[in-house]
Amino acid sequence: MMSVRCEETGRGQAAVPVQGGQGSGSRRFGDEPGMGVVPAFGRQLKLLRIRVGPERSEFGKRTGCSADTVASFEQGRRIP
């Protein structure tokens, strides 16, 4: 497997072959939308919030956030 150097950290990361498309291309793990840590955290947050029962607005009040902010966390659009 090929290694790709991250420009920000200077560390190497394993490349993942791209399915389909032109050429042999490769990308770093986690480049696929919805596959990162933030969306995974959001899915878990929503799952646990639903199990406990409060709506987004009530959960937001308890944690000091608005319902829109909670929604952004759950959808992986904002870093908690």
Side-chain angles (χ1 to χ4, degrees):
M1 183 169 291
M2 191 171 87
S3 178
V4 177
R5 188 175 184 94
C6 179
E7 292 177 14
E8 293 177 11
T9 64
R11 290 186 238 166
Q13 295 182 347
V16 179
V18 176
Q19 298 294 326
Q22 298 177 359
S24 62
S26 62
R27 62 177 172 239
R28 290 174 288 173
F29 180 75
D31 284 352
E32 188 68 31
M35 299 298 290
V37 173
V38 175
F41 176 85
R43 287 190 298 272
Q44 289 299 309
L45 177 64
K46 183 175 182 177
L47 176 74
L48 295 172
R49 179 184 60 79
I50 290 171
R51 283 185 184 174
V52 173
E55 294 293 323
R56 284 181 177 154
S57 58
E58 178 61 27
F59 182 78
K61 285 180 189 175
R62 292 181 182 191
T63 58
C65 302
S66 69
D68 291 336
T69 301
V70 174
S72 292
F73 292 157
E74 291 178 352
Q75 296 166 9
R77 293 182 289 137
R78 186 168 181 184
I79 297 173

